[in-house]
Amino acid sequence: MRLIGTILPIAIPIFAVSASGQTTKVPTIAAAVDFEISAIEKQVVEAAEAMPEEKFDWSPETWNLPGANYQGVRTFAFEVKHIAASNYALWSPLTGDQFPEDFIGGNGPESVKTKAEIIQFLKDSFALGHKAAATLTTQNMLRTTGKGTSSRLHRALFAVEHAFDHYGQMVEYLRMNGIVPPASRDGQANSELPPERIVLI
């Protein structure tokens, strides 16, 4: 019964009857934010799935490129885990979920190591994002959460902005390994590029 009481206030405003008698969608802040979360989720998850498991621990530091300084940069795996852990940090105050202590530090739990585990961690973090988006209303979106000064809307959208930032780094890592990011394939049958055709844009 409590679940129904939670869902109805979110679901009811989505539809309205127009003058012609047709049912039309009415924009809501929850739906708008959820759309943005879905957009970055698709790109990040597909990029993570595109990297071969044996390359998950790769970073450009291993190349020792002349004139470059990649010392200490995150591996591909840690880029993905950082997005996921940050998603939890930003969205959990909106949902009321407890932020796990082993996520503190920005790289997620050390126990999450394999490609399958990391991608599941990532997907679970975006599931929390959809849950967070569903809590937003025009009445509460500018309210703060806990001891922070950021509004609920800012937290929800900053997680999207942050994920896009690190998605850009994931794209570079894919390109540097001769892999065309899924979002850039445009129907290409072969996602692998010969080493001499690696591009960085």
Side-chain angles (χ1 to χ4, degrees):
M1 198 68 178
R2 180 176 293 179
L3 179 60
I4 294 174
T6 302
I7 294 174
L8 285 179
I10 297 169
I12 289 173
I14 296 177
F15 297 96
V17 179
S18 65
S20 63
Q22 293 181 330
T23 301
T24 57
K25 283 190 175 182
V26 176
T28 65
I29 188 64
V33 172
D34 192 74
F35 179 85
E36 297 300 324
I37 292 172
S38 293
I40 184 57
E41 176 183 16
K42 183 177 188 298
Q43 295 200 50
V44 169
V45 170
E46 288 184 351
E49 290 174 336
M51 183 67 92
E53 182 152 20
E54 63 271 18
K55 293 285 188 178
F56 252 60
D57 289 326
W58 182 89
S59 87
E61 182 178 3
T62 62
W63 278 8
N64 297 313
L65 297 172
N69 183 7
Y70 287 107
Q71 186 175 2
V73 298
R74 288 187 175 95
T75 63
F76 186 86
F78 276 117
E79 287 290 342
V80 180
K81 290 177 66 175
H82 177 66
I83 292 173
S86 299
N87 285 349
Y88 274 100
L90 290 163
W91 284 325
S92 58
L94 276 65
T95 64
D97 289 81
Q98 185 171 356
F99 182 69
E101 289 188 8
D102 59 350
F103 291 11
I104 294 174
N107 289 326
E110 293 183 6
S111 60
V112 175
K113 296 179 179 180
T114 68
K115 176 178 178 178
E117 290 171 342
I118 292 170
I119 290 177
Q120 189 58 56
F121 178 45
L122 180 66
K123 290 180 177 179
D124 290 344
S125 77
F126 278 111
L128 183 68
H130 294 297
K131 183 179 176 182
T135 70
L136 295 172
T137 67
T138 52
Q139 290 76 33
N140 73 14
M141 65 181 186
L142 298 181
R143 294 176 189 166
T144 59
T145 59
K147 298 180 181 178
T149 58
S150 295
S151 69
R152 297 173 64 83
L153 180 60
H154 177 262
R155 274 186 168 275
L157 291 179
F158 182 71
V160 174
E161 297 169 14
H162 175 265
F164 266 117
D165 178 22
H166 288 276
Y167 167 70
Q169 296 175 56
M170 291 171 64
V171 165
E172 290 297 318
Y173 282 20
L174 288 171
R175 293 283 190 181
M176 293 174 82
N177 282 279
I179 300 169
V180 177
S184 302
R185 289 179 187 174
D186 199 23
Q188 296 180 42
N190 185 3
S191 63
E192 300 289 334
L193 288 177
E196 67 272 17
R197 294 191 58 202
I198 293 177
V199 292
L200 298 180
I201 57 173

